[in-house]
Amino acid sequence: MRAGFKTIELWAGSPHFFLSNLEYDDCKKVSKMAKERGLTIQVITPENCTVPYQFAAGDPDLYAKSFEYFKKGLDAGEELGCKVMAVHSGRGYLNEDREEGWKRGRDMLARLAQRALPLLWNPFARMRPIWQLLLMM
C-alpha cells in the first residue's frame, strides 16, 4: 500500500498460492487478505516454467495433467475475480521438430480459451443489476 499499488498479479506458485492439477488454495482467504490491504488481484499466473506442467508437453499423460492444471488456474482466477490468466507458451523438446511443440502449445491455448468462454470473466457478470444502479441515482 505504501508503494501505491492497487492491483496485483498473483503468481500461482507455493508459498504464494498453491495450484495443482487437482486443487488450489482457498480463494476466499486470499481475496480477503488482498482486500484488507486495499488490493485487487487482476492477473493470475500459473507457474509453468519450473514445475511438471507444460503447455507443449509431448507425453499424452503429462499433456492431460497440464491441461487440468491450467484449467484449475482458470477456475481459481474466476473465483479471485481476475480479468487475465497469464501463461507461457511452453516449448517442444529439443530432439523433435520445432513445429510439433508449437502445435501442442497452440492446441493447449485453444482448448483453454474454449474452457474460459463459459467463465468469460465477463465484466457484465460482475455488474450490479440495472435496477440497483437506478436506485442509486
Side-chain angles (χ1 to χ4, degrees):
M1 287 190 293
R2 285 179 284 186
F5 295 110
K6 296 193 188 316
T7 62
I8 62 167
E9 171 185 3
L10 179 63
W11 178 61
S14 291
H16 309 287
F17 185 84
F18 177 78
L19 174 69
S20 77
N21 62 315
L22 302 173
E23 61 184 335
Y24 49 86
D25 272 341
D26 181 355
C27 291
K28 288 179 182 159
K29 178 183 168 190
V30 173
S31 290
K32 183 177 183 256
M33 289 170 58
K35 285 180 182 141
E36 287 171 350
R37 291 159 177 81
L39 299 169
T40 59
I41 304 167
Q42 295 286 320
V43 179
I44 186 167
T45 304
E47 171 55 51
N48 68 317
C49 292
T50 61
V51 296
Y53 309 108
Q54 218 253 62
F55 249 58
D59 176 83
D61 289 335
L62 179 55
Y63 186 86
K65 286 176 184 170
S66 294
F67 177 75
E68 292 301 317
Y69 170 75
F70 290 109
K71 191 168 81 167
K72 289 287 186 201
L74 287 171
D75 294 342
E78 207 271 333
E79 281 187 48
L80 292 164
C82 296
K83 296 180 184 338
V84 173
M85 181 173 87
V87 295
H88 184 276
S89 64
R91 58 180 281 179
Y93 302 116
L94 296 176
N95 64 348
E96 72 176 344
D97 180 42
R98 185 177 188 182
E99 190 57 34
E100 290 301 310
W102 280 112
K103 180 184 178 299
R104 289 191 303 271
R106 285 191 309 267
D107 290 347
M108 176 71 76
L109 189 56
R111 290 179 65 205
L112 288 167
Q114 281 297 116
R115 171 70 174 103
L117 279 175
L119 303 175
L120 204 51
W121 293 350
N122 181 347
F124 299 111
R126 292 184 187 14
M127 286 180 70
R128 293 182 175 167
I130 189 70
W131 60 267
Q132 285 183 344
L133 294 174
L134 293 172
L135 290 175
M136 293 171 60
M137 296 178 135

